[in-house]
Amino acid sequence: MRILVTGASGWIGSASVTELIAAGHHVIGLARNDAAATRIKALGAEVTHGSLDDLDSLRAAAARAEGVVHLGYKHDFSQMADAARTDRAAIDTFAEVLQGTGGPLLIASGTLGLAPGRIGTEADVPDPAVHPRVGNAAYTLGLADRGIRSLVVRFAPTVHGAGGDHGFVATLAKTARTQGVSAYLGTGQNRWSAVHRLDAAKLVRLAIDKAAPGSILHAVAEEAITAHTIATALGQQLAVPVQSIPSDLAAAHFGWIGMFFAADAPASSAQTRELLGWKPQHPTLLEDIAAGHYPGT
């Protein structure tokens, strides 16, 4: 298929572009600037210029494709509602083009806040109050009624790998380096899930190839890693002390990431693996930390 990919030059998007091309798809990567265009071209994809704010560019790009992998998002935690509105407008634009074609529209979501205190599954329906973006995922699933193969991939909060200067763990490493201590909150027994970016990209490709309309898929390789374990691994690698800090000092110590690192958000991908035959095979989060991929610089 001809697949439009937003976020094609990004951390997950670039790996997904490579995976899709290797499987025989023709990828059109959306580039918001010349630097992004250069990266996308180097991956072997066709470049189309545009941005999430320019709906005309999105409409024109989608019209040249048979499906859309929408991984682009404005990750500005100070403007979450605005980012979600931009995302919804983009999804609506893609839906206008794909309506009635049966073509795939895959969007990214997350497992944070899915099922606090227990292991979340693909069957769980998150509370839209958790994050403005959650409602966009629910809306996308409903597009199956309009003749669109709508797909939602919920990514683990840690999408890790070599060159790991992206994502939450990179921010935790930088905080540990800056503060001189690798900290966790309270007992540190709250849990995160994790996935390697190359395994996540493989799941994106399998979803485009095989998943049915209305599918919810979990890009989760490891169900539950405690915050204490993550902090300890970072402390050992960065040669800084590992220390508990009170939960009420989360914002003061960690900044914006504090509320996320306090979350208990384990998640399963058993249904996804059975549905698509997805088998994560790349290094674990702790292996990537130990390999020095998160220097905190």
Side-chain angles (χ1 to χ4, degrees), residues 62-297:
R64 296 167 51 206
E66 298 165 90
V68 176
V69 172
H70 178 40
L71 301 176
Y73 197 81
K74 292 184 175 182
H75 293 286
D76 182 349
F77 294 106
S78 68
Q79 301 288 334
M80 290 195 295
D82 287 344
R85 281 191 288 270
T86 298
D87 186 52
R88 173 62 178 269
I91 293 169
D92 270 333
T93 300
F94 297 140
E96 290 172 11
V97 176
L98 294 175
Q99 181 168 321
T101 68
L105 171 56
L106 181 153
I107 75 156
S109 188
T111 60
L112 270 177
L114 180 61
R118 64 174 175 81
I119 295 177
T121 74
E122 293 88 340
D124 282 308
V125 179
D127 182 352
V130 171
H131 190 290
R133 192 178 186 183
V134 170
N136 292 347
Y139 173 75
T140 299
L141 293 174
L143 295 175
D145 294 335
R146 292 169 56 183
I148 297 169
R149 188 155 59 92
S150 56
L151 311 167
V152 171
V153 177
R154 295 174 180 158
F155 291 90
T158 56
V159 182
H160 57 88
D165 58 346
H166 299 72
F168 286 167
V169 173
T171 301
L172 291 173
K174 291 175 183 177
T175 301
R177 180 76 73 186
T178 300
Q179 298 281 21
V181 58
S182 183
Y184 55 91
L185 298 168
T187 64
Q189 293 308 298
N190 59 297
R191 301 155 293 174
W192 273 9
S193 58
V195 66
H196 194 282
R197 67 188 286 261
L198 299 183
D199 287 321
K202 178 69 170 291
L203 176 55
V204 168
R205 195 271 294 171
L206 287 171
I208 287 296
D209 285 350
K210 300 167 63 174
S215 292
I216 299 172
L217 306 163
H218 278 193
V220 171
E222 298 176 88
E223 288 187 357
I225 310 169
T226 67
H228 179 273
T229 300
I230 295 170
T232 299
L234 287 171
Q236 291 174 345
Q237 179 60 32
L238 301 176
V240 298
V242 179
Q243 177 182 317
S244 170
I245 63 173
S247 296
D248 59 0
L249 296 180
H253 182 87
F254 289 105
W256 61 266
I257 200 174
M259 64 177 177
F260 296 107
F261 199 39
D264 187 43
S268 166
S269 60
Q271 295 175 33
T272 297
R273 296 180 195 224
E274 182 177 358
L275 179 67
L276 298 181
W278 179 59
K279 297 178 180 179
Q281 59 185 9
H282 291 282
T284 66
L285 173 60
L286 298 186
E287 288 171 342
D288 273 344
I289 291 174
H293 296 321
Y294 291 91
T297 55

Side-chain angles (χ1 to χ4, degrees), residues 10-26:
W11 179 238
I12 301 172
S14 59
S16 299
V17 167
T18 299
E19 180 72 32
L20 287 164
I21 291 174
H25 297 291
H26 179 92

